[in-house]
Amino acid sequence: MISPRSADIHAAWLPSEAFRAIGSRRILVSGPGTGAETVLREIERACARYGGSVRRQSPPSGGERPAADRAGADTAPYDLALVLATEQALPVETAARADLRRHRGEGTGTLGEEGFALVRHGDVTTVLADQPGGLRYGLFHVVRLGESAFGPARQIEVHRPATRLRIANHWDNIDVHPVMGQVERGYAGGSIFWRDGALRRDLSRVGDYARLLAACGINAITVNNVNVHVTEAHLLTTRLGDVAAIADLVRPYGIRVHLSVNFASPVALGGLATADPLEQDVRAWWTETTRRVYETIPDFGGYVVKADSEGQPGPFAYGRSHADGANVLADALAPFGGVVHWRAFVYNHRQDWRDRSTDRARAAYDHFAPLDGQFRDNVILQVKHGPLDFQTREPVSPVIAAMPATRLAVEFQATQEYTGQQRHVCYLGPWWSELLRFAPWGANGDTVADVAANGGLVVVSNVGDDPFWTGHPLAQANLYAFGRLAWAPELDPAAVLDEWIDLTFVPSATSDPDLLRRTLHEVMDDSWRTYERYTAPLGVGFMVRPGNHYGPDVDGYEYTPWGTYHFADRDGVGVDRTRSSGTGFTGQYPSPWSDRYESLQDCPDELLLFFHHVPYGHVLRSGTTVIQHIYDTHFAGVEQVAETRRRWERVAGLVDPAVHARVTERLNEQLRSAQEWRDQVNTYFYRKSGVPDAHGRRIH
Amino acid sequence: MISPRSADIHAAWLPSEAFRAIGSRRILVSGPGTGAETVLREIERACARYGGSVRRQSPPSGGERPAADRAGADTAPYDLALVLATEQALPVETAARADLRRHRGEGTGTLGEEGFALVRHGDVTTVLADQPGGLRYGLFHVVRLGESAFGPARQIEVHRPATRLRIANHWDNIDVHPVMGQVERGYAGGSIFWRDGALRRDLSRVGDYARLLAACGINAITVNNVNVHVTEAHLLTTRLGDVAAIADLVRPYGIRVHLSVNFASPVALGGLATADPLEQDVRAWWTETTRRVYETIPDFGGYVVKADSEGQPGPFAYGRSHADGANVLADALAPFGGVVHWRAFVYNHRQDWRDRSTDRARAAYDHFAPLDGQFRDNVILQVKHGPLDFQTREPVSPVIAAMPATRLAVEFQATQEYTGQQRHVCYLGPWWSELLRFAPWGANGDTVADVAANGGLVVVSNVGDDPFWTGHPLAQANLYAFGRLAWAPELDPAAVLDEWIDLTFVPSATSDPDLLRRTLHEVMDDSWRTYERYTAPLGVGFMVRPGNHYGPDVDGYEYTPWGTYHFADRDGVGVDRTRSSGTGFTGQYPSPWSDRYESLQDCPDELLLFFHHVPYGHVLRSGTTVIQHIYDTHFAGVEQVAETRRRWERVAGLVDPAVHARVTERLNEQLRSAQEWRDQVNTYFYRKSGVPDAHGRRIH
C-alpha cells in the first residue's frame, strides 16, 4: 500500500487547511466506540499540523491505547476551546448540557444516531450527541464553520438529518464492460474500488472517499453497478470478501456498504432451476445467502435491485409482481435490519416510435402505483427523480406522490450523464434543491424531501480514480451538495456552494479570496440553467447522441425503441401528455399539478414541451414564442459559457495551477460543445419551422 | 490441417456437380508450368467423380510425377472430347489450331498471359492459349458452358480480359480491432486469413477461395486492411512469412498477392526519424525492404496505400505531394515489376457542417487531378467509383475522366457496407455494369471500363469465414459478378447472374430448375434498385446510422464532420453542387456531363439530389414530384421485399435446406429493416414538408 493520500490526489473539500481552526486549539473528545475514535483521529491529525492538542476522556472500548499515549494528547488541566461528547460521556455538568436538556424539554426529542447539538458559552464550543456517530457529523460541522465556530457565543442549534439513508450508488463494474467500461456512465477515470476484474490492491482512496462522504453527510454506498453482470454477481457469494474489505475501510466514517444484486442469482450463483420468488428453494437460497453476508459483514446495509429493466432479469419472467420479487429479498434481510432498494426504473425499451400511445414517462407509475401497500417494511422503492432518466429538466416523478403506504427513496445523478459529462460545468445543487422542495400536493403539502425522509435519498456517484476525483474539479461540488441537501433539504444551494468553496478553495487562496469566491459563484451558481439553455429546450429532453449521450443529436433518439421523442415537425414540437388529447400522463399527478400540467396556459414554461405539443408560434408565459425562445436561449447559453471562461481566466493566480489548468481545458471543450449545441438545435428548428430569428443572428 | 473443403462449407459457384460435363469425358491437357498443372488437377478431380479420364501430354517441369501415375490418367490412344493446350504444346496440327492462326491473321494478335480461344470441331472441343494461365481461365469457361460445350460445332471465340489487374482487396485485420472487428466492414464472420492476432493455422479455405476467384476471373488479392494498424504493418517485414504462406496457396490459381502498407513504415518499422519520401534514407529503406519482399515472394504484386486519409499517415505530414509519396514506393517496386495502388480516397473528415462551400465530393479531384503526369508508370491511382463512398447511387467519380496521363484503377465494394450489409439481398451487378459502361466524355467516348483497362478493377471483398462465405448466400453473386465484369465489362449483368445460378444452384435442383432460375432472377435482378427505393432517395446518399452504417438515420450524418449532408429543410432537400450557385462540383466533369448534371432539367432523376437542392414540389423527369417520389418509392420498395420473401418461400424444396433457411432468415430481417427505412424516411419528410401522400397511405 502506498501512503493514504498521495501528493497528486486532490484533497477535495477536506484539505489540511480546512482543519486549521480546530487544529490550533485544545480539545476534548468524550464518547465511546468507533465514532469517537474517528473524531479523535481527525483532530489528532489536525493538531499535529497546527499545534493544538486533544485528549480523550472516556476510556476507549476494547484494547485501544490510552489517550495519553497519543501524539498531541494533552495531559494538562482543562482549558478547552472545543468539547465533542456524547451526552452520557460528558464528564461534568456544563452549560451546554443544560441547554440541550432544556431544548429536549421543548420537544426536540432525541438527537438520534447521527444528530448533534452545537452551542458556545464563553470560550468553549460544545458538540453534544446522543450517539458517537453524531460526534462525527458535529466535528465536520465545526470544520465547515472554521474560525467562526470560536467567535461570539452561539445559541444551541440541533442538527439532525432529514433523511435517514443518504446513499451513493456506484455504477462501477469489476470487469471492464466492452461498451460501458470500468464505470458505467463514469466520467472520472476508473473505479476507486475495482480494476480489470479484481479489487484494487491499493484501496487507500476508499478510506479518503469515506471521509469525504462523511464530511458532506452521506452514510452508505453501493460498490457495484445496478446492471449486475456475471463477475459482479459473485460479490454476493464467492467474492463477498472484497465487499467486506471495502466495508472495513469505510466503517470508521459511519458508511455502510450495500450491494447491487442480480435477481437471477439463485439460478446464476445457486444453481437452482428458477429464480421464481414464490418458490420455496429460491426463498431458502436468499435466506441462507443473506445469513452468510451478515456473518461476514455484520453492519451490511442491504441490496439494490434493478429488475425487469433494460435487459436485467426480474420477477416478470415468472409471472410474479415486483412486490413478490422485492419481498423475498426483504424477508431474507429483515432479521439483520437490512433493506432492499428496489428500483422503479422499469419501462419498455423496445418501444415502437410509430406508436404514440405508449409513453415511457407513464411506465414507473403504471408498474408500481398499483402495488402500494404490498411491499414489506424494509423494502424501499428507489425512484428516479423524474419520470424519464436524469434529464436536465423533468417534472418530478408522479410515483413519489402515488405510494403513501410504501417507503420511497429518490434517486439523483451526480455523474453528469445528461448534464455535460463532467466536461461542462454544471452545478446541480439548484436543480436538486428545486426537486426536493417540490410539493406534489400543492404548497401546503409534503415535499419530495418529506416523502423521502423515511426512505432515503440516493445519488449516482460521480467519483473515479481521477486525481481530482470527478474529472472536472468543479464537479466535486455536486457530490458535496447532494450530501448536504440529503441531510438538510432546506439549505440554500448557493449557501451550500459557499461552504464547498470555503472548504475547498479559500484556504489556499492567499491574495484575493473574495474575488475567488465571487468568481466561483459566477461560474457555478447559474451553470445548470446555462447548460439547459444551450441544450434541449423547454423540458423536451434528450436530443443527445445515442449511446454515449454526449453532445447534440436532435433526432438521435427520435426513431429509436427507447421511448424518448420530441415529435418536431414543420408546425410544432413537444409531447402531448395531457389527458384530453395525449397519453394521459398528467393524470398520474395529484391536484393541483394534474391540472397545472394539463393546462396549456398554466403549465410552467420550462416543462411546456414535456407536456404539450405546441406550434412554434405558441406564446410562452414569458411572453416570447417557442421558436424565439429556442433561438434566444441557445445564443444566450453560449454567451454565458464564453463569459464563464473569461471569468475563470481572471482567477488564474488564485487556485492550484493544476486545478486551474484542468478547469480551463474543460471550459474550452464546454464552449466548443455549447456552440455545437446552439448551432445544431437552432439550425434544426429553423430548417423545420422556417421562422427566422427575430434578431437576425446567424443560423446555419 | 483438416480436409481442403469441409462438408459444412458451401461450395459457392464451384460445386462438384458443375464439373459433371467435363468429368465424364476423355480429356487432354498439354502445356507447361503451374497453370497446366492446376488445370490437370481440377480435371482429375472431376474425372475421379464422374468417370472420365485425362492425360497430360507435355512432361511437367521439375520433379513432378509422370502423368501416367495419376489417378484417372489415360494411357489409351487419342479419342478425346476436350483438349486444353498452349499452342506451342499442342502435340499435333489440328483444325482448332488452324482456326486460331487464321484468327490471329485477322488482327486479334496475342492471347496474352490469360486469354484463350475456344472452338469445337466435330466431337472435339479445344481450348487454346498462348500461356498456361490462359488454360486455367479456359477450363473454367468450359465449366460454365457445361454440356453446351460439347454440343454442336462452335466457331472460334477469343476471350481476353478487358482489364489486366482484377483485384480483391480484403479489409481484414490481424488483430481484432476494438471497433471494426476482425474484418473492417465485414459481414461474413471472421477473416479466412487471420484470427486473433495471427495467421490462421487452418488455411484450407484460402486455397478454395483462390479457386473461386480464378473461376470468376480475379487475379490478385490484398490480404490486409487498407487501414494498416500496428500489427498489420509488420506484414511487410517481420511477418512477411505469413504473406508468403498465403501466396503459396493462391499461386496455383494465378492469383498474386499484394499488401496494404503503412506510409509511415520507415518510422514505425525501420526506426527512421522520418517517412519523408524525398529523404534519401527513406528511399533506401523502401528499396531494401522491397528487395527482401521479392526475395521471399518472387511474384509479389505490389503495395496498396491509403495515405492522408481518415487518420492514416501520408506525405502531407512532410509537405510532399501524393505523387512524391507514391513514387518512392513505385521506384522500389519497379525493378521487380511490382505496382503501387495509391488510393485517391483523400478528403477532410473533420469538416464543419456549417460550411456549405466545402464539398467532400470535390476532394479526390481537387487533390489528384493537378498531379496528372507526375506519377511513375507503375503507380496506379485507385479511385472509388463515386466521389463519396460506395453509396447505393452516386455519379461516377470525375477523377476517372481527369487524369489521362495516369494509370487508374476503379474500386468497387462487394462487401455491402452501404447496401444492406449482406442482410439485404442486393445484387450489385446491374449497378457496376452501369458504372463500367458509363462514358464520361459522351456516348462515343471511352467508358469507365476503358479507362481502367490499363490500371485495374478492384473489389473490396465480401468474403469471410462464414459457411456460406458471404453471410447472405445470395451475396456470393456479387463477388462472382465483379470478377466476370472485370474480365468482360460488356457482359449483361442478368446473363452473369444466370451463369452464377447455373453453376451454384441448378445442378442440385432436381425437380424444377426453371422455377428456381426464374425465382432467383425475380429475387435478385432488380434487388439493387429495390434497395435504392426504400433507402436514401434520388442520389442524396447516406441517411444511415453513423458508425455501423446499417439502418436508417436520416439526420445521422447531417451535423457531423464527415461531409455527408442532405440539407433537408421545410422547403426542400438536396445538395447544390452546381457551378452557378453551389459548390462547383459539376465543373469537374468533362462535357457533356458537366452540363447535364448542372442542368436542373437534364440531370438524371436518380442523381437529382446529389447535384441540386430542390423544393419538395419540384417535378422530376418522371413526371412526379420529389416528395411524392419519396413516398411512392418507399412504399413500393417494401412491397417488393415482401414479394421477394413470398417468392423465396416457393422454392423451399429446390435448394439446399441450409441455404434456404439462411436466406429466409435474412429476408425476414430485410423486410423489417425496409419497413423501418420506409417509415423513418417518409415520416421525416412528411414532418418537414407537410405534404400529405397523394394516395393517403399511412405515414406516421
Side-chain angles (χ1 to χ4, degrees):
Chain A
M1 298 251 290
I2 56 168
S3 69
R5 191 187 313 131
S6 130
D8 53 357
I9 305 297
H10 189 257
W13 52 88
L14 290 181
S16 304
E17 295 83 353
F19 290 80
R20 181 186 297 270
I22 287 174
S24 58
R25 288 185 162 80
R26 304 183 77 181
I27 301 170
L28 176 75
V29 175
S30 187
T34 319
E37 181 63 25
T38 301
V39 167
L40 187 68
R41 226 177 322 116
E42 287 288 334
I43 295 172
E44 283 169 354
R45 180 150 59 172
C47 289
R49 187 173 188 109
Y50 294 108
S53 64
V54 59
R55 59 186 290 180
R56 183 167 183 184
Q57 180 71 21
S58 54
S61 62
E64 297 179 24
R65 294 168 297 153
D69 290 350
R70 292 164 179 267
D74 185 359
T75 53
Y78 286 96
D79 177 16
L80 295 165
L82 175 61
V83 173
L84 298 109
T86 56
E87 198 191 348
Q88 277 206 315
L90 197 63
V92 290
E93 177 65 9
T94 65
R97 190 175 189 172
D99 282 355
L100 180 58
R101 267 208 308 278
R102 198 161 41 243
H103 211 73
R104 288 198 204 277
E106 287 161 10
T108 58
T110 172
L111 297 174
E113 272 186 44
E114 302 180 311
F116 63 91
L118 178 80
V119 63
R120 179 162 172 85
H121 284 288
D123 291 335
V124 185
T125 300
T126 304
V127 171
L128 286 172
D130 286 357
Q131 302 289 332
L135 297 184
R136 210 161 24 209
Y137 291 110
L139 169 71
F140 287 119
H141 190 74
V142 175
V143 170
R144 270 195 296 276
L145 293 173
E147 278 301 327
S148 71
F150 304 100
R154 299 177 76 100
Q155 293 247 308
I156 190 164
E157 303 164 8
V158 167
H159 295 265
R160 273 172 305 212
T163 316
R164 201 171 138 234
L165 284 162
R166 306 174 303 278
I167 313 184
N169 278 184
H170 280 262
W171 289 355
D172 296 17
N173 299 311
I174 300 179
D175 281 333
V176 176
H177 187 275
V179 176
M180 294 297 176
Q182 187 84 62
V183 180
E184 180 162 335
R185 309 302 178 188
Y187 312 105
S191 167
I192 59 170
F193 305 114
W194 316 103
R195 181 145 73 187
D196 294 340
L199 192 65
R200 276 176 173 269
R201 286 171 54 201
D202 175 6
L203 287 169
S204 55
R205 291 189 69 174
V206 173
D208 289 351
Y209 181 53
R211 221 176 142 237
L212 290 169
L213 293 180
C216 71
I218 292 171
N219 66 0
I221 54 173
T222 62
V223 296
N224 65 310
N225 191 355
V226 289
N227 292 314
V228 182
H229 310 295
V230 176
T231 301
E232 293 78 7
H234 286 84
L235 289 174
L236 182 59
T237 53
T238 51
R239 300 181 82 145
L240 186 60
D242 292 352
V243 184
I246 295 171
D248 288 345
L249 289 167
V250 302
R251 185 174 295 112
Y253 289 90
I255 313 282
R256 292 172 101 179
V257 169
H258 297 236
L259 199 60
S260 299
V261 299
N262 189 307
F263 188 76
S265 293
V267 177
L269 307 177
L272 301 187
T274 177
D276 181 345
L278 300 194
E279 283 290 324
Q280 191 46 48
D281 48 353
V282 171
R283 176 169 289 276
W285 188 87
W286 281 112
T287 301
E288 175 57 17
T289 301
T290 305
R291 192 190 59 71
R292 288 202 196 132
V293 170
Y294 278 90
E295 216 168 68
T296 311
I297 310 168
D299 61 349
F300 179 73
Y303 299 141
V304 178
V305 187
K306 176 178 181 178
D308 289 319
S309 176
E310 297 179 341
Q312 290 292 303
F316 286 165
Y318 308 100
R320 309 303 182 190
S321 78
H322 275 240
D324 294 331
N327 288 344
V328 67
L329 276 72
D331 289 344
L333 288 157
F336 311 99
V339 295
V340 183
H341 283 86
W342 190 269
R343 288 177 98 234
F345 185 60
V346 178
Y347 70 100
N348 174 13
H349 69 284
R350 297 211 176 86
Q351 197 178 317
D352 187 344
W353 59 268
R354 300 164 189 82
D355 166 21
R356 289 207 186 191
S357 68
T358 303
D359 180 2
R360 173 168 163 183
R362 294 187 55 111
Y365 181 103
D366 286 344
H367 280 297
F368 287 96
L371 302 178
D372 189 34
Q374 298 181 28
F375 291 99
R376 300 280 190 271
D377 286 347
N378 63 331
V379 173
I380 297 170
L381 192 68
Q382 182 166 322
V383 185
K384 292 197 184 196
H385 66 69
L388 288 180
D389 190 13
F390 300 134
Q391 298 305 290
T392 312
R393 179 76 75 167
E394 294 184 49
V396 155
S397 168
V399 174
I400 292 169
M403 303 188 66
T406 305
R407 287 172 75 185
L408 295 181
V410 181
E411 185 177 331
F412 298 88
Q413 194 184 42
T415 193
Q416 294 171 230
E417 178 175 1
Y418 293 100
T419 49
Q421 303 199 350
Q422 283 136 259
R423 301 163 85 179
H424 297 223
V425 55
C426 186
Y427 174 51
L428 293 164
W431 175 215
W432 296 339
S433 172
E434 205 174 303
L435 294 165
L436 289 166
R437 291 162 187 245
F438 181 80
W441 297 271
N444 297 322
D446 276 354
T447 63
V448 168
D450 294 332
V451 173
N454 192 35
L457 291 172
V458 181
V459 70
V460 184
S461 178
N462 58 355
V463 156
D465 70 356
D466 173 70
F468 299 100
W469 295 92
T470 51
H472 200 310
L474 304 186
Q476 293 174 2
N478 286 326
L479 188 60
Y480 182 86
F482 170 83
R484 294 291 291 137
L485 291 170
W487 178 287
E490 72 284 1
L491 287 175
D492 172 4
V496 170
L497 189 64
D498 227 25
E499 288 178 13
W500 175 77
I501 292 170
D502 279 347
L503 289 167
T504 307
F505 284 97
V506 169
S508 59
T510 46
S511 59
D512 194 345
D514 285 345
L515 172 63
L516 179 58
R517 184 184 294 106
R518 198 169 64 244
T519 300
L520 282 163
H521 275 290
E522 286 166 351
V523 166
M524 297 176 73
D525 277 347
D526 201 41
S527 56
W528 160 62
R529 286 194 173 79
T530 295
Y531 185 81
E532 181 183 33
R533 281 183 194 101
Y534 60 76
T535 58
L538 295 163
V540 76
F542 289 89
M543 300 192 173
V544 293
R545 278 265 146 194
N548 76 0
H549 297 171
Y550 187 76
D553 187 346
V554 178
D555 268 4
Y557 277 102
E558 193 60 13
Y559 303 97
T560 67
W562 296 94
T564 51
Y565 313 121
H566 56 65
F567 299 124
D569 61 19
R570 76 198 313 259
D571 301 316
V573 57
V575 188
D576 185 351
R577 292 192 162 105
T578 63
R579 302 190 285 290
S580 62
S581 55
T583 68
F585 172 71
T586 58
Q588 293 187 343
Y589 289 89
S591 177
W593 290 102
S594 58
D595 296 326
R596 272 207 71 183
Y597 291 145
E598 177 80 7
S599 159
L600 193 53
Q601 283 67 48
D602 297 340
C603 183
D605 282 351
E606 67 273 13
L607 288 169
L608 184 73
L609 301 184
F610 192 93
F611 285 105
H612 297 274
H613 186 92
V614 299
Y616 292 115
H618 174 83
V619 178
L620 295 167
R621 292 158 64 93
S622 70
T624 184
T625 62
V626 165
I627 187 71
Q628 191 58 41
H629 173 93
I630 291 174
Y631 298 152
D632 288 347
T633 50
H634 283 77
F635 282 112
V638 171
E639 269 316 299
Q640 285 166 306
V641 177
E643 179 60 25
T644 291
R645 196 170 65 162
R646 281 191 292 274
R647 288 192 157 122
W648 182 252
E649 281 167 11
R650 286 197 322 226
V651 296
L654 298 179
V655 294
D656 174 359
V659 171
H660 196 271
R662 175 70 76 93
V663 173
T664 299
E665 166 215 315
R666 305 265 152 156
L667 284 172
N668 290 341
E669 163 57 16
Q670 182 177 3
L671 184 57
R672 184 208 64 75
S673 176
Q675 288 164 339
E676 195 64 32
W677 271 99
R678 174 196 65 195
D679 290 343
Q680 287 199 29
V681 171
N682 283 350
T683 300
Y684 180 96
F685 284 105
Y686 175 64
R687 285 191 188 177
K688 271 217 156 116
S689 71
V691 180
D693 173 37
H695 307 298
R697 290 162 294 193
R698 179 127 196 242
I699 297 177
H700 298 271
Chain B
M1 299 251 290
I2 57 168
S3 69
R5 192 186 312 129
S6 134
D8 52 359
I9 305 297
H10 190 258
W13 50 88
L14 290 182
S16 306
E17 295 82 352
F19 289 81
R20 182 186 296 270
I22 287 174
S24 58
R25 288 186 162 80
R26 304 184 77 181
I27 301 168
L28 176 73
V29 175
S30 186
T34 320
E37 181 62 25
T38 301
V39 168
L40 187 68
R41 226 176 324 116
E42 287 288 333
I43 295 172
E44 283 170 353
R45 181 151 60 174
C47 289
R49 187 173 187 110
Y50 294 108
S53 64
V54 59
R55 59 187 291 181
R56 182 167 182 184
Q57 181 69 22
S58 54
S61 61
E64 297 180 25
R65 294 168 297 151
D69 290 350
R70 291 162 180 269
D74 185 358
T75 54
Y78 286 97
D79 177 16
L80 294 165
L82 176 61
V83 174
L84 298 109
T86 55
E87 199 190 345
Q88 277 207 315
L90 197 63
V92 292
E93 179 65 11
T94 65
R97 191 176 189 170
D99 282 355
L100 179 58
R101 268 209 307 278
R102 199 161 40 247
H103 212 72
R104 286 198 206 277
E106 287 162 11
T108 58
T110 173
L111 296 174
E113 272 185 43
E114 302 180 312
F116 63 91
L118 179 82
V119 64
R120 180 162 171 85
H121 284 288
D123 291 336
V124 185
T125 300
T126 304
V127 171
L128 286 172
D130 287 355
Q131 301 289 333
L135 297 184
R136 210 159 27 207
Y137 291 109
L139 170 71
F140 287 120
H141 190 74
V142 176
V143 170
R144 270 194 296 275
L145 293 173
E147 278 302 328
S148 72
F150 304 99
R154 301 176 76 101
Q155 293 249 306
I156 189 164
E157 303 163 10
V158 167
H159 295 265
R160 274 171 304 213
T163 316
R164 199 168 140 236
L165 283 163
R166 308 174 300 280
I167 314 185
N169 278 183
H170 281 261
W171 289 355
D172 297 17
N173 299 311
I174 300 179
D175 281 333
V176 177
H177 187 275
V179 176
M180 294 298 175
Q182 187 84 63
V183 179
E184 180 162 334
R185 308 304 178 187
Y187 312 105
S191 167
I192 59 170
F193 305 114
W194 316 103
R195 181 146 71 189
D196 294 340
L199 193 65
R200 276 176 173 271
R201 286 171 53 199
D202 175 6
L203 287 169
S204 55
R205 291 189 70 173
V206 174
D208 289 351
Y209 181 51
R211 218 174 144 240
L212 290 168
L213 293 180
C216 71
I218 291 171
N219 66 359
I221 54 173
T222 62
V223 296
N224 65 310
N225 192 355
V226 289
N227 292 314
V228 182
H229 309 295
V230 175
T231 301
E232 294 78 7
H234 286 84
L235 290 174
L236 182 59
T237 52
T238 51
R239 299 181 82 145
L240 186 60
D242 291 352
V243 185
I246 295 170
D248 288 345
L249 289 166
V250 302
R251 185 175 295 112
Y253 289 91
I255 314 281
R256 292 171 102 180
V257 169
H258 298 235
L259 199 60
S260 299
V261 299
N262 190 307
F263 188 76
S265 294
V267 177
L269 307 177
L272 301 187
T274 177
D276 182 344
L278 300 195
E279 283 288 325
Q280 191 45 49
D281 48 353
V282 170
R283 175 169 290 276
W285 188 87
W286 281 111
T287 301
E288 174 57 18
T289 301
T290 304
R291 192 190 60 71
R292 288 203 197 131
V293 170
Y294 278 91
E295 215 168 69
T296 310
I297 310 168
D299 61 350
F300 179 73
Y303 300 140
V304 178
V305 186
K306 175 178 181 178
D308 290 318
S309 176
E310 297 179 340
Q312 291 291 303
F316 286 165
Y318 309 100
R320 308 304 181 191
S321 78
H322 275 239
D324 294 332
N327 289 343
V328 67
L329 276 72
D331 288 345
L333 288 158
F336 311 99
V339 295
V340 183
H341 284 87
W342 190 268
R343 289 176 99 232
F345 185 60
V346 178
Y347 70 101
N348 174 14
H349 69 285
R350 297 212 177 85
Q351 196 179 317
D352 187 343
W353 59 268
R354 300 164 188 83
D355 165 20
R356 289 209 187 189
S357 68
T358 302
D359 180 3
R360 173 168 163 182
R362 294 187 56 111
Y365 181 103
D366 286 343
H367 280 298
F368 287 95
L371 301 179
D372 189 34
Q374 299 181 28
F375 292 99
R376 299 281 189 271
D377 286 347
N378 63 330
V379 173
I380 297 171
L381 192 68
Q382 182 166 323
V383 185
K384 292 197 184 194
H385 66 69
L388 289 180
D389 190 13
F390 300 134
Q391 297 306 290
T392 313
R393 180 76 74 167
E394 293 184 50
V396 156
S397 168
V399 174
I400 292 169
M403 302 188 68
T406 306
R407 288 172 74 185
L408 296 181
V410 181
E411 185 178 330
F412 298 88
Q413 193 184 42
T415 193
Q416 294 171 230
E417 178 175 0
Y418 293 100
T419 51
Q421 303 199 348
Q422 283 134 262
R423 300 163 85 179
H424 297 224
V425 54
C426 185
Y427 174 51
L428 293 163
W431 174 215
W432 296 338
S433 171
E434 206 174 302
L435 293 166
L436 289 166
R437 291 162 187 246
F438 181 79
W441 296 271
N444 297 321
D446 275 354
T447 63
V448 168
D450 294 332
V451 173
N454 192 35
L457 291 171
V458 181
V459 70
V460 184
S461 178
N462 58 355
V463 156
D465 71 356
D466 173 69
F468 300 100
W469 295 93
T470 51
H472 200 309
L474 304 185
Q476 294 174 2
N478 286 326
L479 188 59
Y480 183 85
F482 170 82
R484 295 290 293 137
L485 292 170
W487 178 286
E490 72 284 1
L491 288 175
D492 172 3
V496 171
L497 189 64
D498 228 24
E499 288 178 11
W500 175 77
I501 292 170
D502 279 347
L503 288 167
T504 308
F505 284 97
V506 169
S508 61
T510 47
S511 59
D512 194 344
D514 286 344
L515 173 62
L516 180 57
R517 184 183 293 104
R518 198 169 64 246
T519 301
L520 282 163
H521 276 288
E522 287 166 350
V523 165
M524 297 176 73
D525 278 347
D526 201 41
S527 57
W528 160 62
R529 286 195 174 78
T530 295
Y531 185 82
E532 181 183 32
R533 281 183 194 100
Y534 60 76
T535 57
L538 295 165
V540 77
F542 288 89
M543 300 193 171
V544 293
R545 278 266 147 194
N548 75 0
H549 297 171
Y550 186 76
D553 188 346
V554 179
D555 269 3
Y557 276 103
E558 193 60 12
Y559 303 96
T560 67
W562 297 94
T564 51
Y565 312 121
H566 56 65
F567 299 123
D569 61 20
R570 75 197 315 259
D571 301 316
V573 57
V575 188
D576 185 350
R577 293 192 162 105
T578 63
R579 302 190 285 288
S580 62
S581 56
T583 69
F585 172 70
T586 59
Q588 293 187 344
Y589 288 89
S591 178
W593 291 102
S594 58
D595 297 326
R596 271 206 71 182
Y597 291 144
E598 177 80 9
S599 159
L600 193 53
Q601 283 66 47
D602 298 339
C603 183
D605 281 353
E606 67 273 13
L607 288 169
L608 184 72
L609 301 184
F610 191 93
F611 286 106
H612 297 274
H613 186 93
V614 299
Y616 293 115
H618 174 83
V619 178
L620 294 167
R621 292 158 62 92
S622 69
T624 184
T625 62
V626 165
I627 187 71
Q628 191 58 41
H629 173 93
I630 292 174
Y631 298 152
D632 288 347
T633 50
H634 283 77
F635 283 112
V638 171
E639 269 316 299
Q640 285 167 305
V641 177
E643 179 60 26
T644 291
R645 196 170 65 162
R646 282 190 291 274
R647 289 193 158 122
W648 183 250
E649 281 168 12
R650 287 196 321 226
V651 295
L654 298 179
V655 294
D656 173 0
V659 171
H660 196 271
R662 175 71 75 94
V663 173
T664 299
E665 166 214 314
R666 305 265 152 156
L667 284 172
N668 290 341
E669 163 57 16
Q670 182 177 3
L671 183 57
R672 184 208 63 75
S673 176
Q675 289 165 338
E676 195 64 32
W677 271 98
R678 174 196 65 194
D679 290 345
Q680 286 199 31
V681 171
N682 283 350
T683 300
Y684 180 96
F685 283 105
Y686 174 64
R687 286 191 188 177
K688 271 219 156 115
S689 71
V691 179
D693 173 37
H695 307 297
R697 289 163 294 193
R698 178 128 196 240
I699 296 177
H700 298 271

